[in-house]
Amino acid sequence: TMTMMGENYAKLACVAVIGKQNEPLLVESFPQQRQQQQQQQQQQQQQQQSKALTADGSEEELRLFFHVHTALDVLEEKLAANRKSHASNPSARELFLGLLFSVEDFRVFGYVTNTNVKFVIVTYMSSANEGAIKPFFRQLHEEYLRLLGNPFYKINDPIESERFLKSIRRMSARLTR
């Protein structure tokens, strides 16, 4: 069951951590957080036509993965522009890149660490608020740094840490309350 949201919150659809070489380290989707209306629309669409499904059976997850992939191109463009504008002072570069693009029912936001690891967040269009997204990215960055401190995690390997995943889910629940 969904609760009503205040204007400072966003409904999260997907969180992605992308490595330095643009390899996906983690793509975590939150299909259980879509609005009731979206669920009903999707069910009606599925009944009307057969659709290609991803390995785990979710067309929405496939679309989210596509949006994350598309975000990488936009991130690279914004990073190139940032490098030019901060050529004299690279430490002044803003990590939070803000809204990258809007598409379909989603808004896609980006963040890049100093080591060029990228975080992408996809929210549902009607609920996205940039004011709530920026602190979420900072928390995500902190959790990623904790993961890097884990001696059992090899840098640039896919993220399978249950602690990291639980942290993302907990942060997501806070963001969507």
Side-chain angles (χ1 to χ4, degrees), residues 96-164:
F96 177 65
L97 299 176
L99 178 67
L100 300 177
F101 61 92
S102 297
V103 63
E104 297 174 4
D105 298 331
F106 304 105
R107 294 179 81 191
V108 182
F109 297 88
Y111 183 100
V112 179
T113 69
N114 288 325
T115 58
N116 211 31
V117 172
K118 300 155 198 80
F119 301 134
V120 176
I121 293 178
V122 182
T123 65
Y124 292 100
M125 182 73 79
S126 60
S127 63
N129 179 336
E130 202 162 310
I133 298 297
K134 192 172 183 176
F136 184 90
F137 273 122
R138 286 195 194 113
Q139 291 174 335
L140 181 59
H141 192 172
E142 289 173 16
E143 287 300 322
Y144 181 71
L145 291 174
R146 280 190 197 94
L147 174 70
L148 294 180
N150 181 343
F152 299 106
Y153 176 69
K154 185 177 172 202
I155 295 175
N156 293 326
D157 273 2
I159 298 172
E160 298 173 351
S161 165
E162 195 57 41
R163 182 179 183 271
F164 186 79

Side-chain angles (χ1 to χ4, degrees), residues 56-131:
D56 67 347
S58 172
E59 181 187 345
E60 182 168 295
E61 285 182 354
L62 182 61
R63 288 189 314 149
L64 291 170
F65 193 83
F66 174 75
H67 297 324
V68 167
H69 183 76
T70 303
L72 295 178
D73 293 333
V74 179
L75 277 168
E76 292 300 327
E77 289 173 17
K78 282 198 170 200
L79 286 174
N82 274 357
R83 280 187 211 107
K84 288 179 185 173
S85 65
H86 294 100
S88 62
N89 187 5
S91 63
R93 180 173 67 111
E94 174 65 37
L95 301 176
F96 177 65
L97 299 176
L99 178 67
L100 300 177
F101 61 92
S102 297
V103 63
E104 297 174 4
D105 298 331
F106 304 105
R107 294 179 81 191
V108 182
F109 297 88
Y111 183 100
V112 179
T113 69
N114 288 325
T115 58
N116 211 31
V117 172
K118 300 155 198 80
F119 301 134
V120 176
I121 293 178
V122 182
T123 65
Y124 292 100
M125 182 73 79
S126 60
S127 63
N129 179 336
E130 202 162 310

Side-chain angles (χ1 to χ4, degrees), residues 42 45-46 49-53 59:
Q42 186 181 21
Q45 288 173 353
Q46 287 176 348
Q49 52 185 302
S50 64
K51 297 185 177 214
L53 300 177
E59 181 187 345

Side-chain angles (χ1 to χ4, degrees), residues 26-38:
L26 173 76
V27 179
E28 181 77 6
S29 62
F30 300 94
Q32 72 277 10
Q33 293 180 5
R34 75 175 62 101
Q35 295 174 346
Q36 188 100 15
Q37 183 182 21
Q38 289 172 324

